[in-house]
Each structure stands twice: as C-alpha cells, then as structure tokens.
Amino acid sequence: MIKFFRKIRQKMLTENKFSKYLLYAIGEIILVVIGILIALSINNWNENRKESNLELEILSGLYNDIANNKIKIDNLISRDSIIITGNQHILSLLKDNNSTFNDSLQFSFGNINRYQIFFPQQMAYETLKSKGLHSIKNDSLRKQIIELYDETYLVNSHIRDLKSEVYSNTYNMLNKRLFTTKDIDHKIPNNYNDLKGDTEFLNTLSHITAENENFQNYSYMMLEKTITVITEIDKEIKRLKK
C-alpha cells in the first residue's frame, strides 16, 4: 500500500499537480498513523490478556491454598477443643473429693499440655509477591489477602511459639506426677488423690486451659477471616471469567 502511494506521489510531482500530491501525502500519513494505532491496540490487548490470565492463575492458586488453610484451621480448632474439654474435665474431677481415677481419663491426662499447630500454605502468596502485588487489580481484595497473610497468619506464628513455650515450661512438672503408658498420649497419675491438693498442679492445669482457650479464640477469628477471603476470591474469579 505504501509503494502504491509512493508511485502516485511521484507521478503527481512529475505532472506538477502539487495539490493532489499533498492530499495523497496526507492520506499516506493518515494510513501510517492508523496502522501504528492498530498495532498498539493489538499489543495492548495482548498485554491485557496476559495480565488477566496471570491474575486468574494467581487467584486460583490463592483460592486452593487458602481453602486448604481453612481445613487445617478446622482441624486445629477440633483438636484444641478436645484438649480444652479434657483439661476442664480433669479440673472438675479434682475439685470433687469423691472422684476416683478411671482408665478413660488416661487420654486427657496424657494431653494436658499437648498442642496443635497451624502452618499456612502460602506458595501462591509468595508467587503473588514475586510477580507484584498489583497483579490483583481489585484493591479491596488485594488488601484482604495481604492482611490475611501478613497480619492474621503472622500472629499465628507467634502463637505457635507461645504454645511451644507453655509445653516446655510445664513438661517437667507434669512428668514428675504422671506416668506415661506404652501410648505416649496416655498418662496415669502417680497418685490421683494427691493431685486434688497439689496447688502447683492445679494452678498449672488451670493456666494451660486458660491459655488454650485464648489460643482457640484467635483460631476462630483466623477461621472467619480465612472464609471471608476465600469467598471474595471465588467471586473475583467468577467475575473475571465472564
């Protein structure tokens, strides 16, 4: 097309038809500009498509990771509930002067200071950070995801340390008073009745129970935020796929 215009332009010049030449020259310029604009438009469309595909890929990865985190937190809460309930039951029994030990209590005594931990899956979040946080265009959703990982899950890492500290600080005291059976999760008091007047044991058990209840309250909050982010990611994925 450009060669065609060039031939016409040369003909106009040789025939001294300057006005017509000018019109053709302008037409040639317009054609070139239109071609450039079309090329830029196609390039922008390709770039937008790549960005959209990347966003969908990252969101899908985040959805899977956070959905798995929800399952882990559910298990965490379930396990901690068993320990808390067992500790509360032991405390209640030890306050009863007429209570006696039975083998059904072995599991509760064996798990007094045991704890469950939660390690969030964050491979997709690390990918998001490496690609750029603004790969997610939805400002509100991006903020929720960042807060979930960099705040909510980060505090959970400190709770893991606190749980470990509680276990370490109480291990020796409990080990002196409880005999471990063949199953490490089952223990028998050396003297059940002595525990009823053992202030150190009772205070420690009460403290562990209170700490676990506080940890579990945070787990419930963490679960709620996790569910909220999963829901919002699912909505965004469906919107982008339309």
Side-chain angles (χ1 to χ4, degrees), residues 15 18 52 83 91 123 150 167 176 215 219 221:
E15 294 179 0
F18 181 76
S52 180
I83 295 173
L91 280 170
M123 185 178 295
D150 290 352
Y167 178 85
K176 289 177 182 178
F215 295 151
S219 294
M221 185 275 291

Side-chain angles (χ1 to χ4, degrees), residues 115-119 153-169 211 215:
Y115 61 95
Q116 192 81 357
I117 55 178
F118 163 61
F119 288 98
Y153 289 166
L154 180 62
V155 172
N156 167 73
S157 67
H158 297 309
I159 289 178
R160 289 199 305 263
D161 294 339
L162 290 174
K163 284 184 173 183
S164 177
E165 185 178 324
V166 169
Y167 178 85
S168 298
N169 290 342
E211 287 280 26
F215 295 151

Side-chain angles (χ1 to χ4, degrees), residues 1-14:
M1 183 65 72
I2 293 176
K3 288 182 177 179
F4 173 74
F5 272 104
R6 187 177 294 117
K7 289 180 179 179
I8 294 177
R9 185 177 59 209
Q10 290 173 348
K11 184 178 180 181
M12 293 298 103
L13 287 173
T14 56

Side-chain angles (χ1 to χ4, degrees), residues 130-153:
S130 68
K131 297 295 183 180
L133 293 172
H134 282 82
S135 296
I136 295 178
K137 302 296 188 295
N138 186 318
D139 293 339
S140 175
L141 178 58
R142 183 174 63 251
K143 181 181 178 182
Q144 286 179 303
I145 293 170
I146 293 172
E147 287 180 352
L148 181 66
Y149 275 96
D150 290 352
E151 295 180 17
T152 305
Y153 289 166

Side-chain angles (χ1 to χ4, degrees), residues 45 62-63 83 109 141 150 170 181 195 201 213 219 223 226:
W45 182 83
L62 285 167
Y63 181 89
I83 295 173
F109 273 102
L141 178 58
D150 290 352
T170 59
T181 67
L195 293 180
F201 179 84
E213 288 173 338
S219 294
L223 177 63
T226 297

